[in-house]
Amino acid sequence: MKQAIQFVILFFPFVAYAQAPLNAVNINSDVDSLALIDVIQQFENEDTIKFFYDKAWIDSVFVKQSNYSGDLHQLLTEIFTKAHLNNIIDGSNIILTRKYKVQTSLPANYFNSNRILPVEKPDSVNNQYAFLQNSEVDDVQIKSSNVVSIGSVSQSAVGTACVLSGVVRNEEDGEPIVGAQIYVEELGRGTITDADGYYVLHLPKRNHTLHFKYLGRKESQISVSIHNSGVLDVNLKKSMVHIREVTVTSEKENPVKNTNIGVQQLQISEIKQLPATLGEVDIVKTALLLPGVQTIGEGASGFNVRGGRADQNLILYDEIPVFNSSHLFGFFSVFNPETVKDFKLYKSGIPASFGGRVSSVFDVSATQGNLRKFVVSGGISPITGKLTIEGPIIKDKLSFIVGGRSTYSDWILKKIDSPQFQKTKARFDDFSAKLSYQMNKENTLSLTLYQSRDYFKLNSDTAYNYQNKCARLFYKHFFNPQFYTKVSAIYSNYSYDITSDESLENSFKLRYNIDYKSLKISGCYLPNSKHKVTFGCEGIRYYLTPGDFTPLSTKSDITGVSLQKEKGIETGAFFNDSFKPNSRLTISLGLRYALFSTLGPYKQYEYNSQVARSIDSRMDSVMFSKNKVVKTYNGPEFRLSTRYLLGENNSIKLCYNRLHQFLQMLTNSSAISPTDIWKICDTNIKPLIGDQISLGYYHNLHGGRFGFSAEAYYKKTINHLDYKNGTELLLNENLDVDLLLGKGRAYGVELQLKKAKGRLNGWISYTYSRAELKVNGQFSEEKINNGNYYPADYDKPHDLNLVANYKYSRRISVSNTFCYSTGRPITYPVAKYKFRDNELIHYSNRNEYRIPNYLRWDISLNLSENLKANKISHNSLAIGVYNVLGTNNAYSVYFKTTSKGVKGYKLSVFAQPIFNVTYNFRF
């Protein structure tokens, strides 16, 4: 006992400075022989430190140390090494272990070990310390598959905030996932991936638990130890979805918490569940099921968004504008579903990076080729066939995807019991390809190609050919996780020709062409988790050939006509700042400045302002030489979106947009047709300018299983193009005297209720909307309906859509869509009379009447083979009925004079149920 007291006295300086770190306390010792268990007991009795150990390890250990001067940790290390023990000092605690060392920092190969040790807690009352016990293992490495260390302590950045970034991809093919959710549980903070699967999080230096989620993918929960800024790329595996976990939703983000208002998004996997028209999945037809999106009739090309004309929608395919988005006069869209990843429709809240159209942006993203394995997929239906091949050129680096689609529908036309259809031909094909190269973590390069062609010949007389040609070269560079830039070089061309060879004397060929080239540079800066800045600029060159009418042969009596070519340059610079002043309020402010110049050669006419514009009122003309600036228009475009959280499940949003449109379509029909022409602004045609304000309320019900939204909007436009009665647009050399400028207004309310989970899922939406125009020129010839507002051709006040999917099992599902809408406006002949021996027809006011209301119900049954993962091929069968009720929906109404008077007739496209079967395969 005397020796123990002597040892304590020698350690007195250590006891006196017990508040200091133990390994920093200097001691002096001169001990000959002392039982270690007695020394430990004495220290614990003094309540200065605590030892954790197994008594069996030290019951026969004696201390023999002479003339030692140093710190406590060094002394204990020397003593315990002789006893084959290890020690670790943690505050006022000393932990002893046998056979192995407890690591106070992670070894370099911490995450590469495949061996895991069991964890055992001692019987001590202080059980917050765990002992890793394994007497058979001398060299132990600790592994946790859900823990990742970012950076190291020695390299820790100055300050407390670090930047974690990366890309979220599919496990199977390496395709970036758009809209994947990343949530930090401890901070209640999260973000989503952008169009390239990229995300950025600002996190303090400490341990965090990250949740990576995405529809149809297995959630990944990763514990991260943040020491410095770094990169964390994550692959999400495909989940084996059980019946109660099936999800169909029109948005990947939480609509309550994001700032998006008037934005809808659908993945191609969701679209493929819905009934298809003639067996072909169509993303444009799917968009018509969303609130605020309408079409003028069955099989019509284009669509109308919130009271806008079809040409007021900017349709993009991987940033490439598509000027005609339909095949076969509107029965199919030009987008091959096998090469499409998703689409996002901006009805309002349009980002400042987009410009050129006043109604909406329909942004379609092309899928990236599989980075890890070769895949062949395709499908066949009674009238179409498609094939897609994708795979890696360099695994995880360079991939490709090539897809083709064609139709063989002539056999159906020959089945029609009418002589005029026996010689009619109709077909289309399209080709798309994408090459993606992940050069390194900082640089990405891709090339997108697309071409579509249509051919239609009516009764061996007139033939129509029209096509799109598109290309984009894209480069993305990361300067650091918080700042990256994107560069896009884009080319788009749309052309058509009409030929007639009914007789050599009247044979002709009409050609039209629009050529588009642009360069766009943008950047994104993320200073912190509550702030995002985007900026950039773009330049666009338009070159239009409005019409070349030439004889088809030397024997033709046709006189050639070539309309004046048109050329214009559009430039834009944009800046957008999104920030969060507090946890409830999010604000996005944007500004885009647009400038457009019409270039020569151009012939400008001057008119007598005292009379209505006509050929006879021309007074003079001025000729502008090549590339001479004829007219310039410019102006700012303000963008504002705000969101205010009323609670965890409620929010309100407010949005304002102003946009310019320098390119408008001229058409005599209500829908887009292949023979429509585009017209750029000039001295007589001013740019279309649109202003829209929107207000929305969003609510999650039953824990997010249901989502409700209500949006109201008001939009007005100026310099809206319209035409004098009886105007002929095709090959009109004097269009400037027949065109009228007016203004428009549109307003409405959109309601939507979604069920995102469960066997039965889908949505129901109702839209009340009005679209009206007013043309009130100075002279009577320049007024329509006496200068009063009148309904636009696409004004359909009531629109109801129901989408319901029922998952009977993992292999069998049933989908239904139901649509009801008000009939569109139409102008009727109301009387006929004779004037100077000529019988004339008197028409009602423009769009005074309406065609009958529209109703349609579609259904499809989707059957899949067993879902074994190791199968060589995966096949499925889709059986559907389009227009189950056989409703005779009128596309248009026309009149004929008979011996019994004037009779009206309805023209229907699908007046009976259309059955279809599609077989899909994937190797």
Side-chain angles (χ1 to χ4, degrees):
M1 190 64 185
K2 179 180 178 181
Q3 291 175 326
I5 295 173
Q6 181 183 5
F7 192 88
V8 172
I9 294 173
L10 291 173
F11 272 62
F12 178 78
F14 160 71
V15 177
Y17 293 92
Q19 299 300 319
L22 298 186
N23 58 0
V25 176
N26 292 323
I27 62 172
N28 294 301
S29 67
D30 187 4
V31 180
D32 182 24
S33 180
L34 187 68
L36 183 55
I37 192 171
D38 293 334
V39 176
I40 292 175
Q41 187 66 42
Q42 289 294 326
F43 275 101
E44 291 185 336
N45 289 339
E46 293 291 336
D47 294 324
T48 54
I49 60 175
K50 290 184 179 297
F51 284 81
F52 296 87
Y53 60 98
D54 188 334
K55 292 182 180 181
W57 298 348
I58 61 173
D59 58 356
S60 59
V61 176
F62 290 84
V63 177
K64 292 184 178 181
Q65 188 69 40
S66 302
N67 300 321
Y68 178 81
S69 178
D71 63 54
L72 176 63
H73 182 64
Q74 292 175 344
L75 173 62
L76 293 179
T77 299
E78 290 186 18
I79 294 174
F80 293 140
T81 297
K82 298 175 183 178
H84 304 290
L85 296 175
N86 301 292
N87 72 94
I88 178 68
I89 297 177
D90 181 28
S92 299
N93 304 290
I94 299 176
I95 304 170
L96 306 183
T97 62
R98 190 178 182 184
K99 297 288 187 181
Y100 67 91
K101 294 181 180 180
V102 174
Q103 302 291 336
T104 58
S105 61
L106 298 177
N109 58 354
Y110 178 81
F111 300 103
N112 297 324
S113 172
N114 293 321
R115 293 189 292 180
I116 304 176
L117 290 180
V119 178
E120 174 182 319
K121 293 185 178 180
D123 295 332
S124 170
V125 292
N126 189 349
N127 58 9
Q128 61 178 314
Y129 297 96
F131 286 78
L132 300 178
Q133 305 273 346
N134 192 327
S135 58
E136 302 298 323
V137 180
D138 294 327
D139 183 15
V140 178
Q141 294 178 343
I142 307 169
K143 177 189 175 184
S144 173
S145 60
N146 288 329
V147 177
V148 175
S149 180
I150 304 297
S152 64
V153 177
S154 60
Q155 298 175 343
S156 183
V158 177
T160 59
C162 298
V163 179
L164 180 66
S165 63
V167 178
V168 181
R169 303 177 183 272
N170 292 331
E171 172 75 19
E172 297 80 17
D173 56 15
E175 173 81 8
I177 298 177
V178 181
Q181 300 178 22
I182 301 95
Y183 182 72
V184 185
E185 189 173 24
E186 297 85 357
L187 302 178
R189 181 189 304 170
T191 186
I192 63 167
T193 55
D194 64 9
D196 302 308
Y198 182 74
Y199 74 92
V200 174
L201 278 172
H202 294 78
L203 302 173
K205 290 187 291 183
R206 66 182 197 195
N207 294 338
H208 303 280
T209 300
L210 274 62
H211 297 262
F212 293 82
K213 298 180 180 180
Y214 186 71
L215 173 66
R217 294 278 151 182
K218 193 173 183 179
E219 178 183 346
S220 179
Q221 180 176 319
I222 302 177
S223 296
V224 179
S225 181
I226 302 289
H227 301 296
N228 205 342
S229 296
V231 176
L232 177 62
D233 293 338
V234 176
N235 294 322
L236 297 184
K237 296 181 179 179
K238 183 181 294 186
S239 63
M240 299 300 291
V241 181
H242 299 287
I243 291 174
R244 294 185 179 180
E245 296 175 351
V246 174
T247 302
V248 175
T249 177
S250 63
E251 290 182 298
K252 291 293 162 256
E253 308 171 51
N254 186 341
V256 169
K257 296 187 177 181
N258 62 37
T259 57
N260 294 337
I261 177 172
V263 180
Q264 300 280 346
Q265 182 174 0
L266 284 175
Q267 302 293 321
I268 193 64
S269 58
E270 301 165 356
I271 298 171
K272 288 182 177 180
Q273 297 183 53
L274 304 180
T277 307
L278 299 177
E280 185 68 20
V281 174
D282 194 321
I283 65 172
V284 175
K285 295 294 188 295
T286 302
L288 297 176
L289 300 172
L290 301 173
V293 186
Q294 299 175 331
T295 182
I296 60 97
E298 199 86 63
S301 301
F303 52 92
N304 307 98
V305 177
R306 289 190 172 180
R309 235 174 27 197
D311 67 309
Q312 295 173 9
N313 305 310
L314 179 61
I315 301 175
L316 301 174
Y317 180 73
D318 255 12
E319 291 190 298
I320 309 168
V322 178
F323 291 98
N324 192 317
S325 60
S326 67
H327 281 307
L328 290 183
F329 299 94
F331 289 107
F332 304 95
S333 78
V334 296
F335 302 110
N336 183 349
E338 300 303 316
T339 59
V340 169
K341 178 167 58 177
D342 64 8
F343 77 80
K344 181 176 284 190
L345 176 63
Y346 297 90
K347 298 178 292 184
S348 63
I350 299 175
S353 57
F354 294 115
R357 302 292 189 276
V358 300
S359 279
S360 73
V361 177
F362 190 75
D363 190 14
V364 180
S365 298
T367 188
Q368 175 183 293
N370 198 310
L371 282 165
R372 287 160 190 164
K373 60 183 179 180
F374 287 93
V375 177
V376 178
S377 61
I380 186 170
S381 71
I383 62 173
T384 61
K386 55 193 174 187
L387 181 67
T388 304
I389 303 173
E390 58 180 308
I393 299 175
I394 303 175
K395 190 174 182 180
D396 290 327
K397 282 282 188 180
L398 180 62
S399 69
F400 76 94
I401 182 169
V402 177
R405 186 173 57 153
S406 185
T407 186
Y408 35 86
S409 56
D410 289 351
W411 70 272
I412 295 180
L413 296 173
K414 297 183 184 300
K415 296 291 183 180
I416 300 176
D417 189 18
S418 176
Q420 69 178 20
F421 287 103
Q422 298 301 313
K423 297 181 180 180
T424 296
K425 296 181 179 180
R427 62 177 180 267
F428 73 82
D429 60 72
D430 53 47
F431 167 84
S432 55
K434 187 170 185 177
L435 191 69
S436 304
Y437 183 32
Q438 184 71 44
M439 304 165 67
N440 49 48
K441 290 288 186 182
E442 292 79 29
N443 298 281
T444 302
L445 189 67
S446 70
L447 175 66
T448 303
L449 302 173
Y450 177 79
Q451 177 173 311
S452 70
R453 296 182 299 180
D454 280 75
Y455 177 81
F456 180 80
K457 191 171 186 180
L458 179 62
N459 200 23
S460 297
D461 179 8
T462 304
Y464 299 83
N465 287 278
Y466 53 99
Q467 62 180 350
N468 290 290
K469 294 180 180 178
C470 305
R472 181 190 74 152
L473 183 63
F474 173 77
Y475 173 70
K476 185 174 184 179
H477 174 71
F478 286 91
F479 290 94
N480 56 59
Q482 296 173 267
F483 178 51
Y484 62 84
T485 60
K486 298 188 289 186
V487 180
S488 297
I490 299 169
Y491 172 76
S492 181
N493 176 273
Y494 173 67
S495 63
Y496 68 77
D497 60 71
I498 304 172
T499 60
S500 177
D501 55 2
E502 183 179 9
S503 64
L504 291 178
E505 294 80 9
N506 297 314
S507 61
F508 68 87
K509 185 171 187 177
L510 172 63
R511 311 181 84 178
Y512 173 85
N513 183 79
I514 178 170
D515 198 74
Y516 172 105
K517 295 177 181 177
S518 75
L519 179 66
K520 184 175 183 177
I521 303 173
S522 62
C524 181
Y525 175 56
L526 302 140
N528 54 57
S529 61
K530 298 182 179 180
H531 208 174
K532 180 179 181 180
V533 178
T534 56
F535 55 90
C537 60
E538 67 176 329
I540 303 169
R541 193 211 72 162
Y542 299 98
Y543 188 79
L544 285 74
T545 304
D548 283 331
F549 186 67
T550 58
L552 195 59
S553 69
T554 56
K555 297 181 179 181
S556 177
D557 296 330
I558 296 296
T559 301
V561 176
S562 182
L563 299 184
Q564 180 175 262
K565 306 294 190 296
E566 299 180 26
K567 186 177 180 181
I569 299 293
E570 179 182 350
T571 56
F574 57 89
F575 176 87
N576 202 95
D577 189 1
S578 298
F579 55 95
K580 297 180 180 180
N582 54 58
S583 60
R584 290 182 176 271
L585 181 63
T586 300
I587 301 175
S588 177
L589 289 172
L591 175 65
R592 181 184 180 91
Y593 197 87
L595 183 145
F596 183 87
S597 296
T598 305
L599 305 180
Y602 179 81
K603 188 176 184 179
Q604 176 184 326
Y605 291 100
E606 296 180 2
Y607 295 88
N608 184 352
S609 61
Q610 302 302 314
V611 296
R613 183 177 299 178
S614 66
I615 297 176
D616 296 332
S617 67
R618 286 175 176 168
M619 300 178 61
D620 200 357
S621 64
V622 178
M623 189 67 193
F624 291 85
S625 59
K626 184 178 180 180
N627 294 326
K628 181 74 174 179
V629 176
V630 179
K631 184 68 175 179
T632 296
Y633 297 98
N634 59 83
E637 299 180 354
F638 301 99
R639 315 289 172 87
L640 167 67
S641 294
T642 64
R643 181 227 66 199
Y644 186 78
L645 285 175
L646 301 174
E648 184 66 22
N649 295 308
N650 298 271
S651 68
I652 56 174
K653 302 178 186 179
L654 178 68
C655 170
Y656 168 75
N657 284 335
R658 162 166 279 212
L659 298 103
H660 290 74
Q661 182 168 334
F662 303 103
L663 188 72
Q664 296 190 61
M665 180 181 289
L666 305 179
T667 177
N668 279 327
S669 65
S670 301
I672 294 176
S673 73
T675 58
D676 293 333
I677 59 177
W678 293 82
K679 184 77 175 69
I680 65 174
C681 295
D682 56 26
T683 54
N684 298 311
I685 300 176
K686 299 178 181 179
L688 179 65
I689 301 175
D691 292 274
Q692 180 181 180
I693 185 168
S694 304
L695 178 66
Y697 170 74
Y698 303 83
H699 180 58
N700 285 338
L701 302 91
H702 297 285
R705 293 185 64 195
F706 292 87
F708 172 76
S709 64
E711 297 181 13
Y713 66 90
Y714 179 83
K715 178 166 62 177
K716 66 176 184 178
T717 56
I718 60 173
N719 303 325
H720 196 288
L721 278 185
D722 216 318
Y723 325 107
K724 295 178 181 178
N725 292 329
T727 297
E728 181 65 42
L729 297 176
L730 199 61
L731 289 175
N732 188 338
E733 296 180 273
N734 303 296
L735 265 178
D736 54 339
V737 303
D738 292 325
L739 296 179
L740 302 174
L741 291 180
K743 60 183 179 180
R745 66 184 183 190
Y747 52 89
V749 176
E750 299 169 1
L751 308 176
Q752 186 180 42
L753 178 66
K754 297 186 300 180
K755 184 176 185 295
K757 299 178 181 180
R759 281 189 173 186
L760 178 64
N761 49 75
W763 68 84
I764 182 171
S765 66
Y766 168 75
T767 303
Y768 174 78
S769 63
R770 297 306 308 268
E772 298 174 320
L773 302 175
K774 183 178 183 179
V775 178
N776 188 24
Q778 181 180 358
F779 305 98
S780 60
E781 298 93 329
E782 298 172 347
K783 297 177 185 289
I784 296 179
N785 288 9
N786 298 317
N788 299 316
Y789 275 103
Y790 62 93
D793 294 341
Y794 38 85
D795 175 61
K796 301 171 71 175
H798 302 283
D799 188 57
L800 176 68
N801 293 299
L802 171 65
V803 176
N805 302 298
Y806 183 76
K807 193 78 172 180
Y808 181 77
S809 69
R810 288 167 55 189
R811 296 174 55 189
I812 303 174
S813 64
V814 179
S815 298
N816 293 262
T817 58
F818 177 83
C819 309
Y820 173 84
S821 64
T822 307
R824 67 178 179 88
I826 192 171
T827 305
Y828 280 168
V830 294
K832 61 179 181 178
Y833 58 94
K834 286 189 177 182
F835 178 74
R836 295 180 180 178
D837 296 328
N838 294 319
E839 189 173 78
L840 303 176
I841 298 176
H842 178 71
Y843 287 89
S844 67
N845 286 333
R846 187 173 295 189
N847 294 339
E848 186 176 354
Y849 296 93
R850 291 184 181 274
I851 65 174
N853 294 342
Y854 180 91
L855 184 146
R856 194 188 78 243
W857 174 35
D858 310 324
I859 188 170
S860 70
L861 175 66
N862 304 300
L863 305 172
S864 300
E865 293 184 339
N866 67 72
L867 304 177
K868 292 182 179 179
N870 57 356
K871 291 186 61 178
I872 297 177
S873 66
H874 294 271
N875 307 313
S876 64
L877 189 68
I879 305 171
V881 183
Y882 188 84
N883 193 10
V884 175
L885 302 177
T887 309
N888 191 10
N889 293 306
Y891 179 82
S892 65
V893 175
Y894 63 96
F895 298 85
K896 285 185 177 181
T897 301
T898 67
S899 58
K900 296 181 180 181
V902 178
K903 290 187 175 181
Y905 297 88
K906 294 190 301 182
L907 174 63
S908 298
V909 178
F910 296 122
Q912 60 186 12
I914 305 296
F915 294 85
N916 57 79
V917 178
T918 303
Y919 170 73
N920 298 296
F921 59 87
R922 185 177 180 87
F923 295 96

